[in-house]
């Protein structure tokens, strides 16, 4: 916040645009608010009542002056929170637009780039800590990893969580698992194009990341959503929601590897970036 304060005093921005619900975004919004700089928030009004992002997202919305939301449902929720209807604009989902427009990297080029081989069946795993209790957090990640042990003929591709409370425990357990099982690999961060390409070539995305509910349906990847982190977030029909329990996750994986689900988009068919630019500029 001190750095952001110095940056704002130096650059004197006329507007600050913030995206999503990370705690860093809340810090940016708060500093901008104190300096009375208009804040444009992309991605407000959404619900993930199983995570702390829920409160952070709504806090950012209350600090913001203008809101660019992904769905009419989210617009109505911001109105319920007391935001002015005239300052809320539905622009569709930036994540969905990315998934539709981004150039997918050729599978062989991707394998060469990251020095690995896809299998006939592949699972992309993106799991974030949910509980603030270390004991419960360890139990949950171990349940997930236990469910994967029998899938020795499936390529298991882990993306590590970003920093938040409990992420160090999740990373530690994943690293141990990858060292033990030859079919498992992990990446700290793939970047958007690489990540979407991995998603395209995976049969299933497993975990509790919002990308499973937003980008994955556009890629035709089956979705297993674990636990409560994305509770009440809008999602297409066909998503398998399971508790963080070994046997139930394993059964969901077995089911998902056998049959491909065809998803219908739940977001408005809008060229998001063009509509944002037209309104903003």
């Amino acid at each position: 916040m001190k750095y952001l304060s110095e940056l704002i005093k130096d650059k004197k921005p006329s507007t600050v645009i913030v995206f999503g619900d990370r705690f860093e975004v809340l810090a940016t919004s708060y500093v901008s608010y104190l300096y009375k700089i208009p804040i444009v928030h992309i991605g407000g009004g959404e619900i993930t009542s199983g995570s702390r992002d829920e409160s952070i997202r709504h806090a950012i919305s209350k600090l913001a002056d203008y809101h660019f939301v992904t769905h009419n449902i989210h617009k109505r929720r911001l109105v319920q929170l007391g935001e002015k209807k005239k300052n809320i604009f539905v622009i569709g989902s930036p994540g969905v637009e990315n998934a539709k427009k981004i150039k997918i990297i050729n599978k062989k080029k991707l394998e060469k780039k990251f020095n690995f081989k896809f299998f006939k069946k592949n699972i992309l795993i993106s799991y974030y800590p949910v509980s603030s209790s270390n004991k419960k957090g360890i139990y949950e990640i171990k349940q997930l990893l236990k469910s994967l042990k029998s899938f020795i003929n499936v390529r298991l591709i882990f993306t590590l969580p970003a920093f938040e409370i409990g992420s160090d425990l999740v990373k530690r357990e994943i690293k141990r698992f990858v060292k033990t099982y030859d079919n498992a690999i992990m990446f700290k961060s793939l970047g958007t194009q690489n990540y979407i390409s991995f998603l395209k070539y995976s049969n299933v995305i497993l975990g509790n990341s919002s990308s499973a509910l937003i980008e994955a349906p556009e890629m035709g990847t089956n979705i297993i959503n674990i636990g409560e982190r994305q509770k009440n977030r809008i999602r297409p029909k066909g998503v398998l929601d399971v508790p963080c329990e070994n046997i139930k996750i394993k059964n969901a994986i077995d089911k998902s590897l056998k049959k491909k689900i065809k998803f219908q988009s739940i977001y408005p068919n809008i060229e998001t970036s063009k509509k944002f630019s037209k309104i903003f500029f």
Side-chain angles (χ1 to χ4, degrees):
M1 289 177 68
K2 182 181 177 183
Y3 170 79
L4 286 165
S5 180
E6 292 169 354
L7 185 68
I8 285 173
K9 282 191 284 187
D10 179 43
K11 301 298 182 182
K12 297 179 175 60
S14 60
T15 311
V16 171
I17 303 172
V18 294
F19 178 85
D21 50 31
R22 291 279 303 175
F23 61 85
E24 305 95 327
V25 178
L26 178 57
T28 304
S29 302
Y30 184 52
V31 173
S32 303
Y33 178 80
L34 292 178
Y35 277 92
K36 298 181 180 179
I37 298 169
I39 300 165
V40 173
H41 183 209
I42 302 172
E46 301 184 17
I47 283 189
T48 49
S49 53
S51 79
R52 295 193 174 198
D53 295 345
E54 170 89 355
S55 299
I56 293 172
R57 187 186 307 111
H58 292 337
I60 295 167
S61 290
K62 296 308 297 181
L63 293 170
D65 302 275
Y66 300 95
H67 313 272
F68 290 80
V69 300
T70 62
H71 200 285
N72 276 313
I73 290 173
H74 305 142
K75 179 177 181 176
R76 290 197 294 269
R77 193 164 292 124
L78 284 179
V79 172
Q80 289 174 340
L81 285 171
E83 298 307 300
K84 296 175 182 177
K85 189 182 288 187
K86 68 176 184 177
N87 291 346
I88 308 170
F89 308 93
V90 179
I91 61 167
S93 170
V96 169
E97 183 179 60
N98 259 344
K100 286 180 177 178
K101 290 191 172 184
I102 207 160
K103 185 178 180 181
I104 301 297
I105 301 171
N106 177 276
K107 186 183 280 189
K108 287 186 178 180
K109 286 183 179 179
L110 208 60
E111 290 176 329
K112 186 177 180 181
K113 185 176 183 178
F114 290 99
N115 192 30
F116 84 108
K117 289 289 183 183
F118 283 104
F119 286 11
K120 187 175 180 181
K121 299 285 186 180
N122 304 277
I123 300 176
L124 183 63
I125 303 124
S126 185
Y127 184 81
Y128 286 78
V130 177
S131 174
S132 56
S133 162
N134 285 353
K135 188 175 181 181
K136 188 176 180 183
I138 285 289
Y139 171 80
E140 288 170 345
I141 186 59
K142 285 190 173 182
Q143 284 291 298
L144 168 59
L145 296 175
K146 189 175 180 181
S147 74
L148 296 169
K149 289 181 178 180
S150 62
F151 294 97
I152 56 174
N153 295 317
V154 177
R155 170 63 83 190
L156 305 175
I157 305 164
F158 290 89
T159 62
L160 297 179
F163 173 75
E164 53 187 83
I165 301 300
S167 61
D168 54 332
L169 301 175
V170 171
K171 290 175 185 177
R172 185 187 72 194
E173 294 302 315
I174 290 173
K175 287 174 182 177
R176 285 178 179 173
F177 185 91
V178 170
K179 282 183 180 179
T180 306
Y181 293 88
D182 293 336
N183 61 319
I185 56 174
M186 68 178 184
F187 300 101
K188 181 180 178 180
S189 177
L190 288 168
T192 303
Q193 187 182 24
N194 293 321
Y195 178 79
I196 295 295
S197 299
F198 270 89
L199 196 54
K200 178 70 175 176
Y201 299 128
S202 297
N203 302 85
V204 181
I205 179 167
L206 172 71
N208 57 9
S209 169
S210 61
S211 67
L213 304 179
I214 297 170
E215 287 95 344
E218 300 300 323
M219 294 294 100
T221 308
N222 283 2
I223 305 159
I224 301 173
N225 177 59
I226 298 174
E228 302 262 300
R229 189 170 190 263
Q230 300 300 330
K231 186 178 179 181
N232 293 326
R233 183 186 284 277
I234 61 172
R235 66 198 65 196
K237 290 181 180 179
V239 174
L240 288 179
D241 290 294
V242 295
C244 198
E245 298 173 17
N246 162 33
I247 299 301
K248 291 183 179 179
I249 297 172
K250 184 178 180 300
N251 290 342
I253 294 171
D254 282 326
K255 184 178 178 180
S256 291
L257 289 175
K258 289 174 184 175
K259 185 180 179 182
K260 192 175 181 66
I261 302 295
K262 188 175 181 180
F263 296 101
Q264 289 188 337
S265 181
I266 56 172
Y267 291 97
N269 186 22
I270 299 172
E271 289 195 70
T272 300
S273 51
K274 282 186 178 180
K275 183 161 185 182
F276 175 84
S277 299
K278 187 176 180 181
I279 297 167
F280 184 75
F281 294 107

